Amino acid sequence: MDFRYSTEQELFRQGVREWATKNLEPRARQIDKDEDGIPEDIVQGLVDLGVFGVTIPEELGGCAVPGEELIYAMIAVHEIARADLSMSTPVYTLLTIGWSYIVNKFGTQQLREEVLPAAAAGKAFVGINTTEPGGGSDLARIKTTGFKSDGHYVLNGEKAYVSGPKECMKLGAPSGHCSLVVTDPSTGHKGLTFIYIPAHLDGISWTVYEDMGRMGLSTGGWLYKDAKVPEYCLLGEEGKGFYHVMEGFNAARVLVAAACLGGAEKGLEISAEYSTQRKMFGRPLIKYEATSFEMVNDWMQLDMLKLNLLRGAWMIGYESQNPGTFSRKDINKVIATVKCLSPTLGHEVARHGMMYHGAFGYTKETPLEMMLRGIMSYEVGAEGGLNVMRGIIARDLWGEAANPFRADD
Amino acid sequence: MDIVVSVKTNLDLQMIRIKNREPVLEAIPYKTGDLDKNAVEAALQLRDAVGDSKVIALTVAESNRKVRETIKEVLAMGADEAVLIVDPALESTDQAGVARTLAAALQKIGSYDLVLFGEGSSDDYSGQVGPRVAELLGVPQIGYARKITAGGAGVLVERSMDEFIETLEAPLPAVLTVVSEINEPRIPSLMNIMKAGKKPTEEWSLADLGLDPAAVASSCETLSNLAEEQDRKHVMLEGGAVDQAAGLVNALLKEGILGR
Ligand SMILES: Cc1cc2nc3c(=O)[nH]c(=O)nc-3n(C[C@H](O)[C@H](O)[C@H](O)COP(=O)(O)OP(=O)(O)OC[C@H]3O[C@@H](n4cnc5c(N)ncnc54)[C@H](O)[C@@H]3O)c2cc1C
């Protein structure tokens, strides 16, 4: 057993850290303020480091290390989050690299060839599009239909709170989202199919919401009226969409946790530095245990979660190379744990840090308030609500008796 | 053009704590020398400008573990090959011993047109190794290069002196040391990091170079490495900003710092 990064992983980490500290960190506040997306030179810088290619095979323009895709992705997202505490750039990045991993895994050859080289080059946004106005937690009851006709899935319905509408429009085709639609209404969640919806098809329109945070990345709703998605956009098998999307969420949740923990790590550093400098009643603030012990509590959680996150990223990769090693439940529990606890830790670190900074912490001179606004997106629900994570763990620990997702009646 | 770049692994200085006026050297991570990365970048740019060239990274250390990451890093940046001189006897060497080792390694490599160094290492910063190697090999040397191009008698070099810039030419082979302003070292991409492990790497011991451990033994003893302490003058200027500014100008004139 070895708990260290390999030489290659460590070199990659150092490279992303160096680049992001120099090029991204000084721009983060502006990105949050401008609400105009991630600047092109930032995206290009990440492309040059290979960040957008970590989950994409070399023959499709990426630089994936088989079995270690999510480990490299996690490293990159963690470092990017440290530099942009608004969470705009890390989330922009994690969506595209996380869902590209899934397009590569489940996509047809034609779809992979169309989408992945563009994603690796930073020229396409790839997201996830499952939430509907009727709810995001209960995916088995979604309403958007995609009945098959003439070699197409014909979409009708509505999706809501989905990241990336402006980004899809800015980058153009083949940007789009992995999505879940009803292809057979008679069979419940077995009638759901996972498809890639290119954002630029006829019959698709979108709106943008005004969010609380993460202002460099848009969120909005999508309306489908007889939009025809070509058959080659199928992901996995028809009728198995529910299971495929859950696998996708596990990958994405690794990266969500990486973003929150990268932010928490940096937030704690900011707090430690400030409370060491700031003197009150003749001593530095950090000398008071009310301050340092609270920071220690946060640090202990951070350290444990980082370890568990590594374990989750490693398990997914190991299972992909050695199928049958871990059960789906083994992986679910580890991933749900980090997705449940990391956003809350990030929020707490930001909130605690703001308190140590006093009134200064309430201004936009520190990045803590934008960290708080950004990370909360992952508490209220993005990539799965916290109670949904608890429900997954209850179900996978104690079986149907404890499954909150399946009604008895 | 065959370009050899000498790279050194040093302790990450930012991670060193000072306790009782001594650095605590326990469990400090290693890091590739900053100026050495400038030298690697300069070599890569020259290689790509000249064409039909290769860059060999050369490093010397007491253990393979210490330099493993450095070698991978410079290969990932784009060096074509690496040569490691690893020998436990190098644990207690000094600048003269390192220079002797490097010169012997260069002779064993045989064909080289340019040998690049940083002007000094990030830790000791003695700036001796490059010039010593040039003397041992009996080839021309130019220090403090801020721009290198192929041309003239072989290589054209602009070098940064304190108050002026000098342009020199030298026939090949030659030894150059570079300053940090010469370039901004590239950060390797993941693709290149993964390719680095497949590039040819040779590892030689002192015996392979025909060197006796005694030839690299240090002849210096470090008695103290504290920075020189400077007495502060503690002059406080009174009055408003305008008076203080005038007072500061006067004080600087008196010290001979202004109006030279
Ligand atoms: C900034 C942002 C970006 C987003 N981006 C995307 C995106 O790109 N793509 C996408 O598809 N969706 C996206 N979402 C939506 C997200 O996936 C949903 O918010 C999430 O799935 C929860 O769905 P909901 O908001 O409809 O809440 P609901 O499903 O209505 O749930 C409301 C609350 O009830 C809780 N809850 C649910 N079930 C239970 C239970 N059994 N017991 C106890 N509590 C329960 C939930 O945890 C939640 O707190 C985004 C959300 C945000 C805030």
Side-chain angles (χ1 to χ4, degrees):
Chain A
M1 205 185 275
D2 192 335
F3 287 89
R4 293 168 303 179
Y5 286 140
S6 69
T7 305
E8 286 80 4
Q9 290 159 356
E10 180 57 22
L11 281 175
F12 181 63
R13 190 195 68 72
Q14 287 172 10
V16 180
R17 166 82 57 100
E18 183 184 337
W19 179 88
T21 307
K22 186 156 165 235
N23 299 286
L24 177 58
E25 195 173 321
R27 309 269 292 279
R29 174 58 73 182
Q30 200 64 34
I31 291 172
D32 194 63
K33 191 168 164 209
D34 288 351
E35 298 186 29
D36 196 28
I38 312 303
E40 272 164 43
D41 62 310
I42 295 290
V43 173
Q44 190 56 47
L46 291 169
V47 168
D48 292 342
L49 292 169
V51 167
F52 280 99
V54 290
T55 56
I56 296 172
E58 203 172 328
E59 67 271 17
L60 293 170
C63 48
V65 181
E68 297 180 28
E69 294 91 342
L70 290 179
I71 294 177
Y72 281 99
M74 173 192 70
I75 290 171
V77 170
H78 180 103
E79 293 300 333
I80 296 166
R82 283 180 52 97
D84 180 1
L85 291 173
S86 82
M87 295 292 130
S88 306
T89 315
V91 177
Y92 177 90
T93 310
L94 78 84
L95 283 166
T96 292
I97 62 185
W99 293 100
S100 290
Y101 179 66
I102 293 302
V103 170
N104 184 56
K105 173 153 191 186
F106 292 115
T108 61
Q109 186 61 15
Q110 187 176 352
L111 182 69
R112 293 165 73 238
E113 283 173 9
E114 190 173 304
V115 174
L116 297 178
K123 305 237 177 295
F125 175 88
V126 179
I128 171 70
N129 185 345
T130 51
T131 309
E132 297 191 350
S137 305
D138 189 1
L139 289 183
R141 287 186 178 74
I142 56 158
K143 303 223 159 45
T144 300
T145 54
F147 299 137
K148 221 164 158 186
S149 153
D150 253 356
H152 290 90
Y153 298 98
V154 182
L155 301 191
N156 281 290
E158 200 179 334
K159 298 279 178 186
Y161 311 110
V162 171
S163 305
K166 281 209 233 167
E167 288 66 21
C168 284
M169 293 310 134
K170 181 169 153 191
L171 291 173
S175 299
H177 293 84
C178 302
S179 190
L180 202 57
V181 297
V182 179
T183 43
D184 178 2
S186 64
T187 51
H189 74 279
K190 295 207 174 80
L192 300 180
T193 295
F194 198 30
I195 57 172
Y196 183 79
I197 307 182
H200 300 81
L201 301 177
D202 288 342
I204 298 184
S205 58
W206 51 280
T207 54
V208 172
Y209 307 142
E210 216 175 309
D211 276 336
M212 166 182 176
R214 221 191 62 176
M215 307 309 280
L217 173 59
S218 66
T219 327
W222 297 81
L223 198 65
Y224 305 115
K225 259 188 148 163
D226 294 327
K228 289 185 180 160
V229 177
E231 217 168 349
Y232 72 83
C233 291
L234 173 68
L235 295 167
E237 284 177 49
E238 265 180 45
K240 294 225 168 125
F242 190 80
Y243 302 102
H244 297 333
V245 84
M246 289 303 150
E247 207 172 322
F249 277 133
N250 271 347
R253 284 168 189 160
V254 163
L255 306 184
V256 166
C260 296
L261 297 181
E265 185 181 271
K266 179 69 182 216
L268 261 178
E269 286 173 17
I270 293 172
S271 291
E273 191 180 331
Y274 185 80
S275 59
T276 305
Q277 308 291 330
R278 182 76 164 176
K279 285 210 173 78
M280 215 49 62
F281 305 103
R283 296 173 182 183
L285 216 46
I286 199 167
K287 201 80 174 167
Y288 298 102
E289 287 159 359
T291 313
S292 67
F293 283 15
E294 188 173 67
M295 279 165 44
V296 167
N297 284 343
D298 288 342
W299 179 87
M300 290 191 292
Q301 278 211 50
L302 172 64
D303 205 47
M304 288 192 296
L305 284 170
K306 281 202 287 199
L307 209 53
N308 215 38
L309 175 60
L310 279 176
R311 179 161 74 121
W314 171 79
M315 281 171 95
I316 294 179
Y318 195 87
E319 174 66 21
S320 76
Q321 301 300 301
N322 308 275
T325 309
F326 301 112
S327 72
R328 197 167 34 82
K329 288 179 182 177
D330 292 336
I331 296 176
N332 287 348
K333 280 180 291 195
V334 176
I335 306 289
T337 299
V338 293
K339 168 59 174 78
C340 186
L341 298 178
S342 304
T344 315
L345 175 67
H347 182 166
E348 289 291 285
V349 166
R351 196 172 65 87
H352 294 156
M354 286 172 70
M355 313 252 249
Y356 312 144
H357 283 70
F360 183 41
Y362 194 63
T363 69
K364 300 201 170 189
E365 297 294 313
T366 85
L368 293 167
E369 64 78 37
M370 81 180 173
M371 170 178 170
L372 184 124
R373 288 188 282 110
I375 281 193
M376 270 200 83
S377 67
Y378 284 133
E379 282 189 295
V380 301
E383 309 273 3
L386 305 187
N387 279 339
V388 169
M389 298 304 114
R390 293 187 176 94
I392 290 172
I393 297 172
R395 178 197 66 198
D396 289 348
L397 272 178
W398 300 307
E400 278 311 303
N403 184 354
F405 307 134
R406 196 162 295 166
D408 293 332
D409 40 272
Chain B
M1 186 182 279
D2 290 345
I3 309 167
V4 179
V5 193
S6 169
V7 286
K8 177 177 174 183
T9 304
N10 28 252
L11 295 171
D12 187 346
L13 298 189
Q14 288 184 337
M15 303 294 281
I16 297 179
R17 285 177 304 120
I18 304 292
K19 205 171 159 188
N20 301 329
R21 314 188 72 182
E22 288 288 334
V24 183
L25 297 181
E26 217 169 67
I28 305 295
Y30 293 118
K31 191 169 175 267
T32 306
D34 294 329
L35 286 157
D36 299 353
K37 285 204 231 175
N38 291 109
V40 173
E41 180 64 39
L44 297 174
Q45 288 184 13
L46 198 61
R47 173 195 68 187
D48 296 343
V50 172
D52 194 24
S53 303
K54 74 174 174 189
V55 172
I56 303 172
L58 173 61
T59 193
V60 165
E62 67 275 17
S63 82
N64 181 305
R65 192 184 72 80
K66 180 174 171 183
V67 293
R68 202 169 39 197
E69 199 166 293
T70 291
I71 285 302
K72 209 155 246 174
E73 184 172 7
V74 297
L75 288 173
M77 284 175 75
D80 302 288
E81 298 170 20
V83 176
L84 287 69
I85 315 300
V86 174
D87 201 298
L90 290 160
E91 169 97 55
S92 52
T93 188
D94 60 6
Q95 287 86 357
V98 169
R100 244 171 254 138
T101 310
L102 287 170
L106 282 158
Q107 271 154 353
K108 187 167 161 80
I109 289 171
S111 99
Y112 55 88
D113 299 301
L114 269 184
V115 187
L116 297 190
F117 291 84
E119 61 164 315
S121 58
S122 304
D123 46 7
D124 294 331
Y125 212 81
S126 75
Q128 292 183 28
V129 175
R132 279 179 182 272
V133 169
E135 285 305 311
L136 289 168
L137 295 174
V139 303
Q141 53 158 313
I142 303 177
Y144 313 112
R146 67 194 284 276
K147 189 173 176 200
I148 306 171
T149 36
V155 67
L156 265 176
V157 178
E158 260 182 33
R159 67 182 195 139
S160 273
M161 305 309 284
D162 263 353
E163 311 212 321
F164 57 94
I165 290 165
E166 198 170 42
T167 306
L168 300 171
E169 60 181 324
L172 304 179
V175 168
L176 311 180
T177 73
V178 307
V179 293
S180 64
E181 64 182 280
I182 191 168
N183 54 42
E184 189 175 329
R186 68 193 67 183
I187 301 176
S189 70
L190 178 56
M191 177 89 81
N192 289 332
I193 292 171
M194 298 316 296
K195 283 184 180 150
K198 300 189 186 95
K199 292 184 175 176
T201 302
E202 297 254 16
E203 188 176 319
W204 299 332
S205 65
L206 289 178
D208 293 331
L209 301 180
L211 284 177
D212 190 68
V216 303
S218 176
S219 49
C220 305
E221 191 186 341
T222 304
L223 299 178
S224 157
N225 64 354
L226 292 176
E228 194 187 340
E229 282 189 48
Q230 290 192 339
D231 284 336
R232 302 281 161 202
K233 293 215 153 71
H234 297 288
V235 178
M236 300 298 274
L237 299 170
E238 307 286 332
V242 175
D243 292 340
Q244 285 184 23
L248 180 61
V249 170
N250 271 333
L252 292 174
L253 282 170
K254 218 186 278 169
E255 293 289 331
I257 292 167
L258 281 186
R260 271 199 280 174

